[in-house]
Amino acid sequence: MVSRVRPAPSVNMPGMILVMLCTAAFVLLIVTRPQLPHADADAAVLNGALLWSGIMPRAALALIAGAALGLSGALLQRVLRNPIADASTLGIASGAELAMTTAMSFSPLLMGLSREMTAFGGGLAAVALVLALSWRRGLDPVTVALSGMIVSLIASALSVTLILARGEYAMSIYIWGAGSLSQQDWNSVLSLGPRLVLGFAAALLLVRPLRILALDDSGARSLGLALHSTRLAIVALAVWLAASVTSEVGIIGFLGLAAPAIARFAGARSTERLMIMAPLTGAGLLFLTDCLTQMLGPGFTDLAPTGAATALFGGPLLLLLLPRVHSVSTIAAQSTVALKRLTKPLQALAVLFVALALLFAVVLTLGLADDGWHVATGALLTDLLPFRLPRTIVAAGAGAMLAAAGFIMQRMTGNPIASPEVLGVSGGAGAGLTIALFLFGFPSPVIMLLAMAIGALAAFLAMIAVSARAQFSPERMLLAGVGIGAFAMAIVTMVLAQGDMRGYILLTWLSGSTNRAGAFEAWTAVISLVVLTAPLPFLSRWLTMLPLGAVSSRALGLRVGSSRLVLAILAALMTAIASFLVGPLSLTGLIAPHLARLAGFRSPGHQLAASLIFGAGVLTAADWLARVVIYPYQVPVGLFAALIGGPYLIWLLSRSSGRE
């Protein structure tokens, strides 16, 4: 018998296909581009100017920017041994945007002198913080991704705060941040092209260190490599390339993630081939995406700039790459067991409730004025209550609902890191709000709440479907949430890029501001909290059995599918309403259930009650701090809550790592 040997697939075949697609798209773009009537010579001159000064530099810039981002992503993935590392997942893009927003708000001259260095400084600071947060866990891919998400969340919160404080002056930064390749001359090409050449030359010189870094740290040291300095140099080069693109055209989301992944799929296994194919793939992807967006017409280009269009692919791509992400350690539920067990939980709940009531009294009466601190009493308190009471009720009600939603998610999945914010459910609510704003212009609050509930439920069910295939592995669930959240926030960015009042509504929602909370929002918080949490005590059997896993729950007679669906609907509704009231940035849904367990509450009923009190207290305190920390100005409550919740999440991971 003669065996037939199948020829190995050509490494160049996918590249050839991409080149042909790009060529066809560009030719079609040139043929179908709008032209002035050729009635006279002036029209021909104008058409030529549009081609030479508009279309051609835009095409060249797409190729150069795509190549730079592809090379940056390849460098980051190699040096960190992380297949999902890029400027978006490591917080580089958000850090660069925050630095440029800060410079535009307080020192426009700095932006004019060195926009590139401003972006580079912000991106380098962000990635340095990410690496510092994940260093104790050996730059574990899951921890790096989580740290990048937290840094991006905090940087975005700070950017939104500055934009709201500076108004239209800084709003242009957010419009620019959506990533537009529109050009009127060759200046950007001439500025970015030499940087790509220098970056590519430096990458070729670093091929040997990159090849050695593919080994583990001990193997790299045994071969004489200065591990820390080499890694720092490569990361700095990657950040410089990504920040250069960001400073010129804005944020092009997830292209640095996609290009190396596609290059490896096409056959680029060695470091040398990856350093060549990743930039070529990135150039082709961005060029093809930009050509397609232009061919769909000015209306689509205005709706979805190139950066937002590429970001729409980032979330699904993260989900596809999940099977390739391997964590060196796991996040176990045992890492969050209570340090003690309360012998009298009811008395402890009573103490917590009294403490919450005292916090309410402090928040309503104590405040800053021009001449210092004052305790409002009598007539002054009566005058201040219409302003302070609604926002306090909104903050407390939203915090309690987020805590209940996080408690449900952690019990449903048996995963201690599950929460509406981490799993992308809050982002799904934002996508629903964005779609409502796009379809209805300025919808009523009822329509906004309904749209957010549908978006949150869709995101949660998608996360459950993806994570169920991996038996709800904490790492895979986390990354699934990051991917779903990235896709949802890309939809939000599309409307933010319009720069109109809908974008301002979304910015206000993103910041989590309670400044405009009134009677409607207060009653919405109270009624929703009572209605949605009332069924939970009757579902304690489900909440007790689901953490045991699907097999054990079925063996005990539980209908797993229907129980998960009911709980998912309740959690999604609470997330949507709370996000509508205080935005998506709080992380209260993560930390409140953990505080309840750490306080010693063990049974599901007691944990739920304690989580509600802790959630209400955290957001109430954050709202009070937002009023007094930089008086007379007010900082959005979501920013303070994110600054509290983000470090706690990192501490939780470090704590579980130490116990392992």
Side-chain angles (χ1 to χ4, degrees):
M1 179 181 294
V2 179
S3 61
R4 295 183 178 180
V5 179
R6 297 180 61 185
S10 173
V11 173
N12 295 324
M13 184 59 66
M16 292 174 60
I17 295 174
L18 185 60
V19 169
M20 289 188 292
L21 286 175
C22 292
T23 303
F26 187 65
V27 171
L28 187 60
L29 175 64
I30 295 297
V31 172
T32 60
R33 78 185 193 278
Q35 298 188 29
L36 297 174
H38 288 276
D40 50 35
D42 292 338
V45 172
L46 288 175
N47 285 326
L50 288 174
L51 176 63
W52 179 251
S53 300
I55 295 178
M56 295 300 292
R58 177 169 182 156
L61 185 63
L63 292 170
I64 294 173
L69 290 174
L71 180 58
S72 174
L75 290 170
L76 289 171
Q77 291 176 20
R78 278 287 176 172
V79 73
L80 298 177
R81 308 185 194 104
N82 188 343
I84 59 172
D86 90 316
S88 301
T89 58
L90 296 182
I92 297 171
S94 298
E97 183 182 32
L98 174 59
M100 298 186 72
T101 303
T102 305
M104 177 66 76
S105 300
F106 299 105
S107 181
L109 181 61
L110 181 61
M111 284 282 289
L113 292 177
S114 183
R115 185 170 60 179
E116 175 195 352
M117 291 307 298
T118 301
F120 174 68
L124 189 62
V127 76
L129 183 57
V130 170
L131 297 181
L133 291 173
S134 52
W135 194 264
R136 289 185 59 187
R137 293 174 67 95
L139 300 181
D140 170 39
V142 172
T143 309
V144 170
L146 178 58
S147 302
M149 180 196 73
I150 294 171
V151 171
S152 296
L153 184 148
I154 295 175
S156 298
L158 290 170
S159 295
V160 169
T161 302
L162 288 174
I163 291 170
L164 288 173
R166 304 294 292 182
E168 296 180 359
Y169 186 62
M171 183 67 183
S172 58
I173 288 289
Y174 223 103
I175 300 172
W176 157 86
S180 176
L181 295 175
S182 298
Q183 298 295 308
Q184 297 179 348
D185 51 42
W186 290 85
N187 290 337
S188 295
V189 175
L190 296 175
S191 174
L192 194 58
R195 303 178 206 172
L196 174 61
V197 174
L198 291 175
F200 185 71
L204 292 180
L205 294 176
L206 293 169
V207 164
R208 181 180 178 276
L210 284 168
R211 193 186 300 119
I212 296 175
L213 282 172
L215 307 173
D216 58 14
D217 289 355
S218 59
R221 288 193 185 94
S222 66
L223 292 175
L225 185 68
L227 190 61
H228 296 326
S229 59
T230 303
R231 182 173 280 161
L232 178 61
I234 296 173
V235 168
L237 175 60
V239 172
W240 178 64
L241 287 168
S244 297
V245 175
T246 302
S247 66
E248 290 293 338
V249 301
I251 297 176
I252 307 294
F254 292 97
L255 192 67
L257 173 70
I262 296 174
R264 284 191 294 268
F265 174 76
R269 296 292 183 265
S270 66
T271 302
E272 296 89 340
R273 286 190 174 184
L274 186 63
M275 291 301 106
I276 294 174
M277 289 192 63
L280 294 177
T281 305
L285 283 176
L286 187 56
F287 181 77
L288 181 60
T289 302
D290 190 53
C291 287
L292 293 176
T293 56
Q294 290 185 73
M295 284 189 290
L296 290 174
F300 184 83
T301 305
D302 293 337
L303 174 63
T306 307
T310 56
L312 289 174
F313 302 114
L317 182 64
L318 270 177
L319 300 181
L320 291 175
L321 291 177
L322 282 183
R324 303 189 60 182
V325 180
H326 302 287
S327 178
V328 299
S329 58
T330 57
I331 306 165
Q334 287 78 8
S335 64
T336 61
V337 297
L339 299 177
K340 58 183 178 180
R341 181 169 185 168
L342 293 173
T343 57
K344 298 180 179 180
L346 294 179
Q347 287 87 334
L349 287 174
V351 172
L352 287 178
F353 186 79
V354 172
L356 180 63
L358 292 176
L359 177 63
F360 259 73
V362 171
V363 168
L364 292 176
T365 58
L366 182 63
L368 268 175
D370 294 335
D371 54 346
W373 291 91
H374 287 278
V375 177
T377 57
L380 179 59
L381 179 61
T382 304
D383 294 336
L384 290 176
L385 276 182
F387 301 98
R388 292 184 179 177
L389 184 60
R391 64 182 297 171
T392 304
I393 292 176
V394 165
M401 282 188 284
L402 287 173
F407 173 80
I408 291 173
M409 293 177 185
Q410 292 176 17
R411 302 295 298 188
M412 275 182 61
T413 61
N415 188 339
I417 61 171
S419 76
E421 305 89 348
V422 175
L423 299 185
V425 182
S426 295
L433 173 61
T434 303
I435 294 173
L437 290 172
F438 178 73
L439 294 177
F440 300 100
F442 297 97
S444 65
V446 175
I447 294 178
M448 293 168 67
L449 283 171
L450 181 61
M452 294 181 72
I454 294 173
L457 181 60
F460 193 24
L461 293 179
M463 186 277 304
I464 290 291
V466 172
S467 302
R469 299 179 60 184
Q471 287 76 45
F472 294 103
S473 163
E475 293 88 354
R476 300 296 172 83
M477 184 176 294
L478 165 67
L479 296 180
V482 172
I484 293 170
F487 180 80
M489 294 311 293
I491 298 176
V492 175
T493 302
M494 291 171 59
V495 171
L496 284 174
Q498 308 306 304
D500 54 17
M501 282 302 299
R502 295 177 302 176
Y504 185 79
I505 292 174
L506 280 176
L507 277 178
T508 304
W509 170 75
L510 281 171
S511 69
S513 176
T514 58
N515 293 346
R516 296 175 177 82
F520 172 79
E521 288 80 8
W523 281 111
T524 299
V526 172
I527 295 174
S528 301
L529 177 63
V530 172
V531 171
L532 295 176
T533 58
L536 294 180
F538 302 100
L539 305 178
S540 59
R541 179 172 175 268
W542 295 0
L543 296 170
T544 302
M545 296 170 61
L546 282 175
L548 302 176
V551 176
S552 300
S553 299
R554 290 192 184 97
L556 294 173
L558 182 66
R559 295 181 178 180
V560 175
S562 58
S563 61
R564 281 179 176 166
L565 179 60
V566 171
L567 290 173
I569 292 174
L570 288 174
L573 288 173
M574 285 188 279
T575 300
I577 297 172
S579 299
F580 170 76
L581 295 172
V582 298
L585 301 176
S586 68
L587 290 177
T588 305
L590 171 74
I591 63 176
H594 280 283
L595 292 175
R597 279 191 289 270
L598 291 173
F601 296 96
R602 300 296 295 271
S603 69
H606 295 154
Q607 281 186 15
L608 174 62
S611 298
L612 292 173
I613 296 174
F614 278 121
V618 166
L619 270 193
T620 300
D623 183 62
W624 181 75
L625 288 172
R627 283 195 281 122
V628 302
V629 69
I630 55 171
Y631 179 85
Y633 303 102
Q634 296 188 21
V635 179
V637 63
L639 172 61
F640 271 101
L643 291 174
I644 295 171
Y648 178 82
L649 187 53
I650 291 296
W651 173 83
L652 174 64
L653 289 176
S654 301
R655 183 168 173 260
S656 64
S657 177
R659 292 194 172 198
E660 289 160 8

